[in-house]
Coordinates of all heavy atoms in Angstrom, one line a residue:
S382 N -9.4 -24.0 22.2 CA -10.7 -24.4 21.6 C -11.4 -23.2 21.0 O -11.1 -22.1 21.3 CB -11.6 -25.1 22.7 OG -12.1 -24.1 23.6
K383 N -12.3 -23.6 20.1 CA -13.1 -22.5 19.4 C -13.8 -21.7 20.4 O -13.9 -20.5 20.3 CB -14.0 -23.2 18.4 CG -15.1 -22.3 17.9 CD -16.2 -23.0 17.2 CE -17.4 -22.2 16.9 NZ -18.5 -22.9 16.3
E384 N -14.4 -22.3 21.4 CA -15.2 -21.6 22.4 C -14.3 -20.6 23.2 O -14.8 -19.5 23.5 CB -15.8 -22.6 23.4 CG -16.9 -23.5 22.8 CD -16.4 -24.6 21.8 OE1 -15.2 -25.0 22.0 OE2 -17.2 -25.0 20.9
E385 N -13.1 -21.0 23.6 CA -12.2 -20.0 24.3 C -11.9 -18.9 23.4 O -11.8 -17.7 23.9 CB -11.0 -20.8 24.7 CG -11.2 -21.7 25.9 CD -9.9 -22.4 26.3 OE1 -9.2 -23.0 25.4 OE2 -9.5 -22.3 27.5
V386 N -11.5 -19.1 22.1 CA -11.2 -18.0 21.2 C -12.4 -17.1 21.1 O -12.2 -15.9 21.1 CB -10.8 -18.6 19.8 CG1 -10.6 -17.5 18.8 CG2 -9.5 -19.4 19.9
E387 N -13.6 -17.6 20.9 CA -14.8 -16.8 20.7 C -15.0 -15.9 21.9 O -15.3 -14.7 21.8 CB -16.0 -17.7 20.5 CG -16.1 -18.1 19.1 CD -17.5 -18.8 18.8 OE1 -18.0 -19.5 19.7 OE2 -18.0 -18.6 17.7
K388 N -14.8 -16.5 23.1 CA -15.1 -15.8 24.3 C -14.1 -14.6 24.5 O -14.5 -13.4 24.7 CB -14.9 -16.7 25.5 CG -15.1 -16.0 26.9 CD -14.9 -17.0 28.0 CE -15.0 -16.3 29.4 NZ -14.7 -17.2 30.5
I389 N -12.8 -14.9 24.3 CA -11.8 -13.8 24.5 C -11.9 -12.8 23.3 O -11.7 -11.6 23.5 CB -10.4 -14.4 24.6 CG1 -10.3 -15.3 25.9 CG2 -9.3 -13.4 24.6 CD1 -9.0 -16.0 26.0
A390 N -12.0 -13.3 22.1 CA -12.1 -12.4 20.9 C -13.3 -11.4 21.0 O -13.3 -10.3 20.6 CB -12.1 -13.1 19.6
S391 N -14.4 -12.0 21.5 CA -15.6 -11.2 21.6 C -15.5 -10.0 22.6 O -16.0 -8.9 22.4 CB -16.8 -12.0 22.0 OG -17.1 -13.0 21.0
K392 N -14.7 -10.3 23.6 CA -14.4 -9.3 24.7 C -13.3 -8.4 24.4 O -13.4 -7.2 24.6 CB -14.1 -10.1 26.0 CG -14.1 -9.1 27.2 CD -14.1 -9.9 28.5 CE -14.1 -9.0 29.7 NZ -14.1 -9.8 31.0
T393 N -12.2 -8.9 23.8 CA -11.0 -8.1 23.6 C -10.7 -7.7 22.1 O -10.0 -6.8 21.9 CB -9.8 -8.8 24.1 OG1 -9.5 -9.9 23.3 CG2 -10.0 -9.3 25.5
G394 N -11.3 -8.5 21.2 CA -11.0 -8.2 19.8 C -9.7 -9.0 19.3 O -9.3 -8.9 18.2
I395 N -9.2 -9.8 20.3 CA -7.9 -10.5 19.9 C -8.2 -12.0 20.2 O -8.5 -12.5 21.3 CB -6.8 -10.1 20.8 CG1 -6.5 -8.6 20.7 CG2 -5.5 -10.9 20.4 CD1 -5.5 -8.1 21.6
G396 N -8.2 -12.8 19.1 CA -8.5 -14.2 19.2 C -7.3 -15.1 18.6 O -7.3 -15.2 17.4
L397 N -6.4 -15.5 19.4 CA -5.3 -16.3 19.0 C -5.3 -17.7 19.7 O -5.7 -17.8 20.8 CB -4.0 -15.6 19.4 CG -3.8 -14.2 19.0 CD1 -2.4 -13.6 19.5 CD2 -3.9 -14.0 17.5
M398 N -5.0 -18.7 18.9 CA -5.0 -20.0 19.5 C -3.8 -20.8 18.9 O -3.4 -20.5 17.8 CB -6.3 -20.8 19.3 CG -6.7 -21.1 17.8 SD -8.3 -22.0 17.7 CE -7.9 -23.5 18.4
G399 N -3.3 -21.8 19.6 CA -2.3 -22.6 19.1 C -2.8 -23.6 18.1 O -4.0 -23.9 18.0
Y400 N -1.9 -24.2 17.3 CA -2.3 -25.2 16.3 C -2.8 -26.4 17.0 O -2.3 -26.9 18.0 CB -1.1 -25.6 15.4 CG -0.8 -24.5 14.3 CD1 0.2 -23.6 14.5 CD2 -1.7 -24.4 13.2 CE1 0.5 -22.7 13.5 CE2 -1.5 -23.4 12.3 CZ -0.4 -22.6 12.4 OH -0.2 -21.6 11.5
S401 N -3.8 -27.0 16.4 CA -4.4 -28.2 17.0 C -4.3 -29.4 16.0 O -4.3 -29.2 14.8 CB -5.9 -28.0 17.2 OG -6.6 -29.2 17.4
D402 N -4.1 -30.6 16.6 CA -4.0 -31.8 15.7 C -5.3 -32.0 14.9 O -5.3 -32.8 14.0 CB -3.7 -33.0 16.6 CG -2.2 -33.0 17.1 OD1 -1.4 -32.2 16.5 OD2 -1.9 -33.7 18.1
K403 N -6.4 -31.4 15.4 CA -7.7 -31.6 14.8 C -7.9 -30.7 13.5 O -8.8 -30.9 12.7 CB -8.8 -31.3 15.8 CG -8.8 -32.3 16.9 CD -10.0 -32.0 17.9 CE -10.0 -32.9 19.1 NZ -11.1 -32.6 20.1
I404 N -7.0 -29.7 13.4 CA -7.1 -28.8 12.3 C -6.0 -29.2 11.2 O -4.8 -29.2 11.6 CB -6.9 -27.3 12.7 CG1 -8.0 -27.0 13.7 CG2 -6.9 -26.4 11.5 CD1 -7.9 -25.6 14.4
V405 N -6.4 -29.5 10.0 CA -5.5 -29.9 8.9 C -4.4 -30.9 9.4 O -3.2 -30.7 9.3 CB -4.8 -28.6 8.3 CG1 -4.2 -29.0 7.0 CG2 -5.8 -27.5 8.2
P406 N -4.9 -32.1 9.9 CA -3.9 -33.1 10.3 C -3.0 -33.6 9.2 O -1.9 -34.0 9.4 CB -4.8 -34.2 10.9 CG -6.1 -34.0 10.3 CD -6.3 -32.5 10.1
L407 N -3.6 -33.5 7.9 CA -2.8 -34.0 6.8 C -1.6 -33.1 6.6 O -0.5 -33.6 6.2 CB -3.7 -34.0 5.5 CG -3.0 -34.5 4.2 CD1 -2.5 -35.9 4.4 CD2 -4.1 -34.5 3.1
D408 N -1.7 -31.8 6.9 CA -0.5 -30.9 6.7 C 0.6 -31.3 7.7 O 1.8 -31.3 7.3 CB -0.9 -29.5 7.0 CG 0.3 -28.5 6.9 OD1 0.8 -28.4 5.8 OD2 0.6 -27.9 8.0
K409 N 0.2 -31.6 8.9 CA 1.3 -32.0 9.9 C 2.0 -33.3 9.4 O 3.2 -33.4 9.5 CB 0.6 -32.3 11.2 CG 1.6 -32.6 12.3 CD 0.9 -32.7 13.7 CE 1.9 -33.0 14.8 NZ 1.3 -33.2 16.1
K410 N 1.2 -34.2 8.9 CA 1.8 -35.5 8.4 C 2.7 -35.3 7.2 O 3.8 -35.8 7.1 CB 0.7 -36.5 8.1 CG 1.2 -37.9 7.9 CD 0.1 -38.9 7.7 CE 0.6 -40.3 7.6 NZ -0.5 -41.3 7.3
L411 N 2.3 -34.4 6.3 CA 3.1 -34.2 5.1 C 4.3 -33.3 5.4 O 5.4 -33.5 4.8 CB 2.2 -33.4 4.0 CG 1.2 -34.3 3.2 CD1 0.4 -33.4 2.3 CD2 2.0 -35.4 2.4
Y412 N 4.1 -32.3 6.3 CA 5.3 -31.5 6.6 C 6.4 -32.3 7.3 O 7.6 -32.0 7.0 CB 4.9 -30.3 7.5 CG 6.0 -29.3 7.6 CD1 6.1 -28.3 6.7 CD2 7.0 -29.4 8.6 CE1 7.1 -27.3 6.7 CE2 8.0 -28.5 8.6 CZ 8.1 -27.5 7.7 OH 9.1 -26.6 7.7
S413 N 6.1 -33.2 8.1 CA 7.1 -34.0 8.8 C 7.9 -34.8 7.7 O 9.1 -35.0 7.8 CB 6.4 -35.0 9.7 OG 5.8 -34.4 10.8
L414 N 7.2 -35.2 6.6 CA 7.9 -35.9 5.6 C 8.7 -35.0 4.7 O 9.8 -35.3 4.3 CB 6.8 -36.6 4.7 CG 7.3 -37.8 3.8 CD1 8.0 -38.8 4.5 CD2 6.1 -38.4 3.0
R415 N 8.1 -33.8 4.4 CA 8.9 -32.8 3.6 C 10.1 -32.4 4.3 O 11.2 -32.2 3.7 CB 8.0 -31.6 3.4 CG 6.9 -31.8 2.4 CD 5.9 -30.6 2.5 NE 6.5 -29.3 2.2 CZ 6.1 -28.1 2.7 NH1 5.0 -28.1 3.4 NH2 6.7 -27.0 2.4
D416 N 10.1 -32.3 5.7 CA 11.2 -31.9 6.5 C 12.4 -32.8 6.3 O 13.6 -32.4 6.4 CB 10.8 -31.8 7.9 CG 11.8 -31.0 8.8 OD1 12.3 -30.0 8.2 OD2 11.9 -31.3 9.9
V417 N 12.2 -34.1 6.1 CA 13.3 -35.0 6.0 C 13.5 -35.5 4.5 O 14.3 -36.4 4.3 CB 13.0 -36.3 6.9 CG1 13.0 -35.8 8.3 CG2 11.7 -37.0 6.5

Side-chain angles (χ1 to χ4, degrees):
S382 69
K383 168 193 167 184
E384 290 72 26
E385 286 180 304
V386 173
E387 279 190 323
K388 179 183 175 184
I389 294 176
S391 294
K392 188 169 184 179
T393 69
I395 304 173
L397 308 179
M398 66 183 291
Y400 282 104
S401 164
D402 290 340
K403 295 179 181 179
I404 299 171
V405 197
L407 183 55
D408 176 64
K409 184 177 182 180
K410 192 173 182 182
L411 283 175
Y412 191 88
S413 297
L414 197 57
R415 287 168 57 205
D416 197 32
V417 295

